[in-house]
């Protein structure tokens, strides 16, 4: 059990599906060998098959507290990594080459069914749902590892895999109901989102949060009563965990999506929600209806000029208000490390750094 | 079984070495490691209704030359599985009690550790691990070991070599004494790994000839 829990709230009403978070994560964490098809952050289109393909049918997690059977996803279920023919298409092809994957035709990928969604025109619908490891309060992955290689950090509740102890047995992959663990076939280890712990430790928001142009991701400690997470989850009760029935108590929460209205045959709005409530309940549980009502109420209050703390929090006019205690600039990481260690950071001479020592001098 | 004293271990290092034909082979009965003994509910849930450890028996032989002990194992395996990129390899292990009288199936206790010498089909080496109970195995102190392995016509044959001398993390084997030996086999094509394996029903007595 951890003393404090870092958590994230993702506002699905603001996510534009740009995948900037996905790329921020990829370049930060999974550009190594054996990580080609690894995306610790995924932005899925819902309804859809998700990442890995049809992960919601793969089992794992608990039921009535009992561990459940689960499928171990193969790399093919996530999709293999592939490169595009940038050189030929963009630089040397004189405009005759189309941009396409090199090598075998890819069969699946992290956002393969992007924007497909469900429903019939003009009442089709979809929304984006970014996903990472949920750093669960009851991590099924941790319980499943016979080596004790997975732990939940006491200081912040981040769930980490110790690669010195991981032997690639992959029981965790079957047990995690969110299928957020990958296997690196080069190193022979299970790997997953680390909640950017080296950034978090230095008060810097996760890369996916900080880079998000939609300002979709709130961060903070669940217990911090002044922070946005506590407000959205516990006070306004508008942020819900994905698939609470998996019983791992995820610490990534979602503001459920409001719907556009349906159109009738004449093209007139009917007042009905296009995204079926039953579908949202299948994702977020029975609390989603009341949560949506509270969001609508907040919006109505704001429109009526009455003001709404909920809307102000969700809009978060000040960018840094999104991040609770994690407001340090990523550029500051080096400086903080330097001050702590009282030693200059060693960087290749070709890289210019702005080094501000304790005395305030810069070089 | 007996570990016969022979003059030069090098003559027995190959799986196909002629000398092995003169050495008595013991048939060891194997059973699936019980699902109740798997270390957590997830592994139990996944394997309760799924067959594993189906190997009924293996053949074991042993010789030593006063310095090095060789154990030759032979067991049926439909196809050799090295695990490839994402799978799990075929494997086998022999076990020796380091101290006291540990229970084989629970892989020793804190006071009575067990040494395992483990072979995996995708690697050309064996490694020695020491266990003080299920899930507690760590690489043991290096003792000089080597292995040869070959699959042919539905059978794996491997010869594992280790020095008789041991230490705190490796069983000491002394000519002229009795000890015990245990066995485990993993069928990689069935995704068997860790505690999901076939094990010998109990220790077999092992006499190391003087
Ligand atoms: S989402 Fe999966 S991998 Fe992450 S902590 Fe929960 S059970 Fe473990
Ligand atoms: S960066 Fe933000 S807006 Fe873009 S896909 Fe990710 S969460 Fe959505």
């Amino acid at each position: 059990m951890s003393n404090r829990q870092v958590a994230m709230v993702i506002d699905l009403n603001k996510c534009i599906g740009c995948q900037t978070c996905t790329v921020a994560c990829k370049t930060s964490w999974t550009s190594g060998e054996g990580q080609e098809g690894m995306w610790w952050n995924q932005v899925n289109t819902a309804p859809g098959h998700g990442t890995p393909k049809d992960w919601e049918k793969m089992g794992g997690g608990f039921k009535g507290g009992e561990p459940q059977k689960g499928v171990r996803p193969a790399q093919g279920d996530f999709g293999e990594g592939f490169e595009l023919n940038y050189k030929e298409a963009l630089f040397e092809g004189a405009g005759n080459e189309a941009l396409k994957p090199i090598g075998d035709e890819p069969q699946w990928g992290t956002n393969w069914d992007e924007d497909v969604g469900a429903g019939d025109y003009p009442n089709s619908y979809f929304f984006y749902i970014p996903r990472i490891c949920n750093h669960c309060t009851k991590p099924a992955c941790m319980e499943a590892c016979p080596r004790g290689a997975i732990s939940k950090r006491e200081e912040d509740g981040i769930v980490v895999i110790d690669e010195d102890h991981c032997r690639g047995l992959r029981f965790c992959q079957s047990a995690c109901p969110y299928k957020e663990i990958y296997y690196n076939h080069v190193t022979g280890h299970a790997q997953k989102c680390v909640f950017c712990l080296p950034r978090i430790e230095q008060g810097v928001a996760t890369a996916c949060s900080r880079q998000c142009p939609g300002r979709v991701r709130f961060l903070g400690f669940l217990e911090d009563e002044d922070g946005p997470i506590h407000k959205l989850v516990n006070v306004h009760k508008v942020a819900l965990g994905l698939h609470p029935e998996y019983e791992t108590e995820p610490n990534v929460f979602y503001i459920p999506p409001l719907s556009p209205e349906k159109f009738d045959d004449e093209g007139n709005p009917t007042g009905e929600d296009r995204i079926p409530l039953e579908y949202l309940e299948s994702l977020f549980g029975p609390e989603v209806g009341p949560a949506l009502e509270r969001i609508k109420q907040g919006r109505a209050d704001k429109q009526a000029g009455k003001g709404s703390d909920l809307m102000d929090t969700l809009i978060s006019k000040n960018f840094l208000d999104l991040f609770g205690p994690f407001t340090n600039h990523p550029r500051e990481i080096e400086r903080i490390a330097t001050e702590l260690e009282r030693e200059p950071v060693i960087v290749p001479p070709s890289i210019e750094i702005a080094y501000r020592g304790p005395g305030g001098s810069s070089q | 079984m007996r570990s016969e004293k022979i003059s030069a271990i090098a003559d027995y290092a190959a799986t196909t070495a002629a000398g092995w034909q003169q050495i008595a082979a013991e048939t060891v009965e194997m059973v699936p490691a019980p699902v109740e003994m798997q270390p957590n509910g997830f592994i139990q849930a996944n394997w309760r209704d799924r067959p594993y450890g189906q190997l009924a028996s293996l053949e074991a032989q042993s010789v030593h030359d006063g310095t090095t002990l060789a154990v030759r194992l032979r067991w049926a395996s439909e196809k050799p599985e090295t695990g490839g990129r994402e799978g799990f390899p075929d494997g086998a292990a022999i076990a020796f009690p380091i101290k006291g009288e540990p229970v084989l199936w629970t892989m020793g206790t804190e006071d009575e550790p067990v040494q395992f010498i483990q072979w995996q089909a995708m690697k050309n080496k064996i490694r020695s691990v020491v266990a003080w109970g299920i899930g507690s195995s760590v690489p043991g102190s290096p003792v000089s070991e080597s292995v040869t392995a070959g699959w042919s016509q539905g059978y794996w044959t491997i010869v594992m070599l280790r020095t008789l001398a041991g230490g705190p993390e490796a069983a000491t084997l002394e000519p002229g004494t009795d000890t015990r030996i245990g066995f485990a086999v993993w069928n990689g094509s069935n995704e068997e790994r860790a505690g999901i394996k076939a094990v010998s029903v109990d220790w077999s007595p092992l006499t190391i000839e003087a």
Side-chain angles (χ1 to χ4, degrees):
Chain A
M1 202 55 199
S2 29
N3 302 327
R4 292 198 297 184
Q5 178 65 55
V6 284
M8 186 181 286
V9 170
I10 300 181
D11 187 349
L12 299 184
N13 290 299
K14 295 201 287 181
C15 177
I16 55 171
C18 63
Q19 306 277 2
T20 306
C21 48
T22 309
V23 174
C25 177
K26 184 85 191 152
T27 53
S28 300
W29 292 107
T30 60
S31 51
E33 247 195 295
Q35 298 184 312
E36 293 79 6
M38 223 183 259
W39 306 88
W40 290 353
N41 181 92
Q42 316 101 38
V43 182
N44 291 155
T45 293
H49 294 286
T51 313
K53 190 178 188 182
D54 295 327
W55 63 274
E56 285 152 304
K57 296 176 189 155
M58 287 184 172
F62 305 89
K63 204 184 223 165
E66 289 301 314
Q68 298 297 299
K69 237 187 204 172
V71 171
R72 181 170 56 85
Q75 186 60 51
D77 297 322
F78 292 100
E80 303 289 342
F82 55 86
E83 291 287 339
L84 297 174
N85 60 339
Y86 292 115
K87 209 166 113 193
E88 294 76 12
L90 302 181
F91 302 108
E92 291 172 1
N96 298 326
E97 274 298 324
L99 197 61
K100 58 173 190 269
I102 301 171
D104 292 346
E105 185 84 5
Q107 300 299 310
W108 190 252
T110 176
N111 60 335
W112 196 262
D113 56 356
E114 190 162 280
D115 295 2
V116 174
D120 294 319
Y121 177 84
N123 292 316
S124 40
Y125 61 91
F126 70 79
F127 55 91
Y128 299 111
I129 179 159
R131 301 206 306 122
I132 58 172
C133 161
N134 291 287
H135 300 275
C136 304
T137 298
K138 282 171 61 190
C141 56
M142 178 166 111
E143 191 164 326
C145 177
R147 308 274 316 156
I150 305 183
S151 60
K152 189 166 175 66
R153 289 164 31 118
E154 239 166 58
E155 59 271 41
D156 51 24
I158 295 177
V159 174
V160 285
I161 303 174
D162 177 352
E163 295 193 355
D164 288 338
H165 285 100
C166 172
R167 291 237 313 266
L169 299 172
R170 287 166 274 165
F171 293 115
C172 56
Q173 281 193 305
S174 314
C176 169
Y178 298 95
K179 303 302 161 193
E180 282 292 345
I181 301 184
Y182 291 80
Y183 176 63
N184 185 323
H185 64 93
V186 175
T187 68
H189 298 129
Q191 297 182 329
K192 68 165 192 71
C193 159
V194 294
F195 214 86
C196 286
L197 75 90
R199 294 169 66 115
I200 290 293
E201 280 177 350
Q202 303 200 49
V204 177
T206 63
C208 57
S209 307
R210 181 96 199 184
Q211 296 284 309
C212 173
R215 299 188 176 191
V216 165
R217 297 178 185 234
F218 298 82
L219 285 179
F221 288 104
L222 203 47
E223 302 79 4
D224 174 5
E225 296 200 353
D226 300 325
I229 303 287
H230 178 79
K231 260 192 196 176
L232 294 169
V233 175
N234 296 322
V235 180
H236 296 300
K237 298 190 183 343
V238 291
L240 304 167
L242 181 58
H243 290 302
E245 74 277 16
Y246 295 164
E247 295 183 17
T248 60
E249 297 176 28
N251 288 302
V252 173
F253 301 87
Y254 295 92
I255 308 290
L258 294 163
S259 278
E261 284 180 51
K262 276 190 183 169
F263 293 117
D264 64 17
D265 293 343
E266 259 81 67
N268 300 312
T270 66
E272 289 168 276
D273 285 343
R274 239 192 259 177
I275 307 175
L277 183 62
E278 308 78 68
Y279 174 63
L280 293 177
E281 283 175 339
S282 77
L283 296 181
F284 304 109
E287 285 308 308
V288 70
L292 286 168
E293 288 313 314
R294 284 189 281 271
I295 298 168
K296 283 180 190 164
Q297 186 60 50
R299 198 157 67 166
D301 287 350
K302 193 83 181 168
Q303 264 166 353
K306 284 196 257 176
S308 158
D309 181 60
L310 169 58
M311 279 302 125
D312 291 343
T313 310
L314 286 175
I315 293 165
S316 199
K317 279 200 177 131
N318 177 4
F319 174 57
L320 291 180
D321 288 349
L322 291 168
F323 303 138
F326 307 112
T327 52
N328 286 340
H329 196 284
R331 259 204 314 263
E332 310 282 287
I333 288 185
E334 270 185 0
R335 184 169 65 85
I336 294 166
T338 307
E339 281 180 0
L340 285 178
E341 291 161 15
R342 305 252 176 246
E343 273 172 24
V345 172
I346 298 161
V347 290
S350 60
I351 299 176
E352 272 185 43
I353 50 158
Y355 168 67
R356 235 172 251 281
S361 66
S362 70
Q363 47 175 310
Chain B
M1 65 191 258
R2 294 181 79 76
S3 184
E4 264 183 49
K5 176 90 191 283
I6 44 90
S7 54
I9 206 77
D11 297 342
Y12 292 80
T15 56
T16 51
W20 286 112
Q21 286 170 19
Q22 315 308 319
I23 306 296
E26 174 155 324
T27 301
V28 181
E29 191 190 337
M30 304 290 283
V31 292
V35 82
E36 299 74 30
M37 289 179 49
Q38 300 304 322
N40 63 63
F42 283 104
I43 300 179
Q44 292 176 1
N46 274 315
W47 292 88
R48 183 162 289 125
D49 305 321
R50 181 174 168 183
Y52 65 90
Q54 297 296 295
L55 182 71
S57 66
L58 58 71
E59 275 178 25
Q61 297 163 284
S62 180
V63 295
H64 77 92
D65 67 357
T67 313
T68 303
L69 176 105
V71 175
R72 182 176 187 260
L73 303 179
R74 186 167 182 271
W75 71 96
S77 159
E78 252 172 63
K79 67 178 176 81
E81 178 61 65
T82 56
R85 194 185 70 161
E86 285 186 71
F88 297 93
D90 287 338
I94 51 175
F96 301 97
I98 295 176
K99 215 167 83 183
E101 303 200 344
V103 177
L104 173 63
W105 282 12
T106 48
M107 297 173 68
T109 63
E110 210 163 300
D111 297 327
E112 302 188 329
V114 173
Q115 180 195 12
F116 288 85
I117 300 180
Q118 199 183 346
W119 164 83
Q120 287 189 326
M122 86 278 205
K123 295 181 187 148
N124 276 329
K125 2 182 241 230
I126 44 178
R127 48 182 212 127
S128 176
V129 297
V130 54
W132 295 271
I134 288 175
S136 71
S137 61
V138 298
S141 56
V143 287
S144 155
E145 298 130 357
S146 66
V147 66
T148 54
W151 183 92
S152 159
Q153 296 180 357
Y155 283 87
W156 272 114
T157 310
I158 69 172
V159 175
M160 303 196 214
L161 301 185
R162 58 151 289 181
T163 51
L164 291 175
E169 293 180 337
T172 302
L173 307 173
E174 257 177 70
T177 66
D178 289 344
T179 179
R180 282 159 297 162
I181 183 167
F183 304 90
V185 168
W186 289 266
N187 174 5
S189 15
N190 189 34
E191 301 181 292
E192 294 179 13
R193 72 272 199 199
I196 301 299
K197 62 191 172 191
V199 286
S200 51
V201 178
D202 200 350
W203 295 106
S204 302
L206 173 67
T207 301
I208 301 170
E209 272 185 6

